[in-house]
Amino acid sequence: MSPSQAAPKILMLAQYFAYLGTGVTITAIPLFVLQTTGSAANAGIAGFAGSLPLIIVGIVGGTLVDRFGAKRVSVLSDILAAVTVCLIPFLQSFHALPLSVLFVLIALRSCFDSPGETARMVLLGNIASSDGETVSARYNSLFFAAPRLGLLAGPAITGVISLIFSPAAALYFDGLSFALSAILISLLRVSATRTPKSAGIRETVQSALGGLSVIRSSAVIFAIASIVVATNFLDEPLSSVLLPAYANQVLGDTTLAAVLLVCFGGGALAGTFIYAPLTRLRRVTNYRIFALAFGAIALLRAALAFGPNFFWCAVIVTGIGLASGPLNPIIAATVQRFIPSQQQGRVWGAFGSFAFAAAPLGQLVAGASAQSAGILTTLAWQAAIYVVINVLILRSKSLRLVT
């Protein structure tokens, strides 16, 4: 097998290892905090500590990828993330982990992980764009299925490890997954795309801010970035706030929320895998998939606002996941097409920062609305916003370049 043939397989393995570990940590961290402190409030602070750095680190990390090269940043980020997450159970075993240190380590784990994610997306662009549009669709589909699979499999892996050992052991699993990802990425042979080494700190800061200029300079990328912000404001609360509230207020059983989340995750995973075969059909373009997916999500979210029973709610939620699956691969293909490889790091970093900034605000607004106005009213106004977004997509000339 030639290096060019092995590169996609190595990158995919690294991506899946990294996201399996991330899926485990998302579940293991709150379990670990609850087990060691017994405080739900501390578990909430731990989640906040892991999320807040992503808003800023995304832009800076993307610039580092462009400056030093995606492969180098990916390997270093994975190593640092592995060491950081393993320090949590290691220090706890010696009773040397005060809460302040725990929160700092959780934040550092996110800080180190974020540039690695960006670097792998840039590496994907380098590999996928060299093999033609059809193969690129397959790579993007496989690549972005990893986060979906991680969120589905992570809780199960955490549960098994915690049952046999402890939540602390699950964190070692995350560290191992990062180490395997670093080893695999180090084996890649890819062309360097870093910017000149003479760039100093001032130039690096300017480059970070320049990522926003790169997005604004491309009408189609700016349009997609705007949609990412708006939909993250609406989508993030669906799994973390709205579906649990729906299970409680409408279905009368909060435990059904877990089933609905599995339905959504399974649908999203299937939708991501379906994307590549769809692109091989005649007269099927990325733009048509993009527009139809948003139209389907708008209609399905409107149907959810009518308060269907559990069976139909599960069907609707699965459909929403299925329709959302192709969106990230399409966005990736568009960035790969319109943004030069030496600028993709800062663009992906900015995308991540926008998304993470919109998500917590959406959770706060959705939670307040569900509490004061009720879950069905909240679902109704969110569906209305989705309809408006879909109309804008259909009227946008820029987005027709998503092809």
Side-chain angles (χ1 to χ4, degrees):
M1 183 183 298
S2 66
S4 62
Q5 292 174 321
K9 297 178 177 62
I10 292 173
L11 178 61
M12 295 304 164
L13 277 175
Q15 173 79 342
Y16 277 82
F17 275 129
Y19 270 104
L20 277 177
T22 297
V24 167
T25 291
I26 288 173
T27 309
I29 284 291
L31 289 179
F32 176 81
V33 173
L34 287 171
Q35 184 186 68
T36 54
T37 70
S39 170
N42 285 336
I45 296 172
F48 180 78
S51 300
L52 183 63
L54 299 175
I55 299 174
I56 300 173
V57 173
I59 294 179
V60 177
T63 302
L64 293 176
V65 171
D66 287 341
R67 182 182 176 192
F68 296 107
K71 178 180 175 180
R72 182 181 299 178
V73 171
S74 179
V75 172
L76 183 59
S77 295
D78 286 343
I79 291 173
L80 291 174
V83 171
T84 303
V85 75
C86 287
L87 275 175
I88 296 175
F90 179 78
L91 292 176
Q92 177 61 26
S93 66
F94 290 97
H95 304 286
L97 187 67
L99 273 178
S100 57
V101 175
L102 172 62
F103 296 148
V104 168
L105 288 175
I106 292 172
L108 285 175
R109 189 260 183 209
S110 294
C111 288
F112 295 139
D113 181 28
S114 180
E117 293 180 13
T118 301
R120 287 192 296 275
M121 283 191 280
V122 174
L123 288 170
L124 172 69
N126 295 339
I127 293 171
S129 60
S130 65
D131 284 348
E133 186 175 350
T134 302
V135 182
S136 175
R138 178 164 60 89
Y139 288 164
N140 284 326
S141 182
L142 290 171
F143 187 87
F144 285 97
R148 309 286 192 184
L149 181 61
L151 290 176
L152 273 178
I157 296 173
T158 303
V160 172
I161 295 176
S162 299
L163 184 64
I164 299 175
F165 302 103
S166 68
L171 295 177
Y172 281 124
F173 179 92
D174 186 21
L176 176 62
S177 72
F178 275 122
L180 291 173
S181 176
I183 292 171
L184 288 167
I185 295 296
S186 69
L187 300 176
L188 278 178
R189 294 184 182 179
V190 293
S191 58
T193 58
R194 59 182 181 271
T195 52
K197 292 183 179 180
S198 59
I201 296 177
R202 181 178 178 182
E203 288 78 7
T204 301
V205 174
Q206 291 175 343
S207 178
L209 298 177
L212 305 179
S213 299
V214 173
I215 291 175
R216 292 190 64 182
S217 66
S218 171
V220 62
I221 299 300
F222 180 75
I224 288 178
S226 302
I227 291 172
V228 166
V229 173
T231 53
N232 251 54
F233 176 84
L234 300 172
D235 290 344
E236 191 67 26
L238 182 65
S239 57
S240 60
V241 178
L242 299 181
L243 289 181
Y246 189 94
N248 182 43
Q249 295 183 22
V250 179
L251 303 179
D253 186 354
T254 55
T255 59
L256 294 178
V259 181
L260 295 177
L261 291 174
V262 171
C263 289
F264 175 79
L269 181 62
T272 307
F273 281 126
I274 288 171
Y275 163 68
L278 282 177
T279 61
R280 299 190 184 99
L281 300 177
R282 290 185 61 188
R283 304 186 67 181
V284 174
T285 65
N286 275 348
Y287 171 74
R288 289 179 178 176
I289 299 173
F290 194 75
L292 286 173
F294 272 104
I297 293 172
L299 291 174
L300 290 168
R301 292 194 67 149
L304 200 59
F306 286 94
N309 60 28
F310 171 70
F311 172 79
W312 287 111
C313 180
V315 171
I316 290 170
V317 169
T318 302
I320 293 173
L322 191 66
S324 66
L327 296 177
N328 283 340
I330 290 173
I331 292 171
T334 308
V335 171
Q336 292 157 9
R337 179 184 178 192
F338 286 94
I339 303 298
S341 58
Q342 64 270 23
Q343 296 179 333
Q344 286 182 15
R346 71 199 77 173
V347 169
W348 281 123
F351 263 77
S353 293
F354 293 157
F356 283 114
L361 179 60
Q363 290 172 321
L364 289 174
V365 173
S369 177
Q371 180 67 29
S372 59
I375 183 63
L376 296 183
T377 300
T378 302
L379 289 169
W381 66 254
Q382 288 211 345
I385 295 177
Y386 244 107
V387 170
V388 172
I389 292 173
N390 199 59
V391 170
L392 294 175
I393 290 173
L394 294 174
R395 292 175 60 88
S396 172
K397 294 181 180 180
S398 299
L399 287 174
R400 294 186 183 275
L401 296 174
V402 180
T403 181

